[in-house]
Amino acid sequence: MIRVRFQSADGERVREVEAAEGLPLLEVAQADGQPLEGTCEGQMACSTCHVLVAPEDFARLPRASEEEEDMLDLAAGATRYSRLACQILLTAELDGLTVRMPAEHRDMQGR
C-alpha cells in the first residue's frame, strides 16, 4: 500500500490515506472525498484535478508531459509544483507523497 497525505488549501487539515499501487492519484483523492472535480475523468482534457505537490516530493514524480504542462497553463493558481492528479500513478517510489488542494479551482460542471 502507498501512503498519501492530502492537505487542505489552507494547510490546516491533513488526512493520510493508503491506496493500492498503480492507482491514479485522482481516483484515490475522489474516493477520500477530496475536492477534485476531474471533469474529463482522467483524459487530460481539463485542469480540474490540479494539485500542488509538496516541494520535497516534487522531484520524486516522473516529469510532466508537454500535454500536461499545457493543461496546467489553464489551472487556476498553478505554481512550479503543480501537477494534474490524473497523471500521477502511485508507485512505491511515491510512498508518503503529500499534495495540497489549491485555494482556487475551475468548476467545469458549474456547481
Side-chain angles (χ1 to χ4, degrees), residues 40-59:
C40 72
E41 298 178 354
Q43 300 301 308
M44 204 167 40
C46 70
S47 60
T48 61
C49 67
H50 166 230
V51 294
L52 303 168
V53 177
E56 61 273 15
D57 292 336
F58 193 78

Side-chain angles (χ1 to χ4, degrees), residues 26 30 34-41 46 48-49 105-111:
L26 174 60
Q30 288 177 327
Q34 297 298 322
L36 291 181
E37 191 175 325
T39 300
C40 72
E41 298 178 354
C46 70
T48 61
C49 67
H105 68 280
R106 298 201 194 291
D107 183 348
M108 303 295 269
Q109 294 183 357
R111 290 183 273 166

Side-chain angles (χ1 to χ4, degrees), residues 60-83:
R60 295 195 289 150
L61 295 174
R63 187 170 173 84
S65 68
E66 188 174 324
E67 294 84 6
E68 181 179 357
E69 289 180 1
D70 287 346
M71 283 289 104
L72 286 168
D73 287 342
L74 304 174
T79 74
R80 67 182 299 210
Y81 301 111
S82 292
R83 290 297 300 267

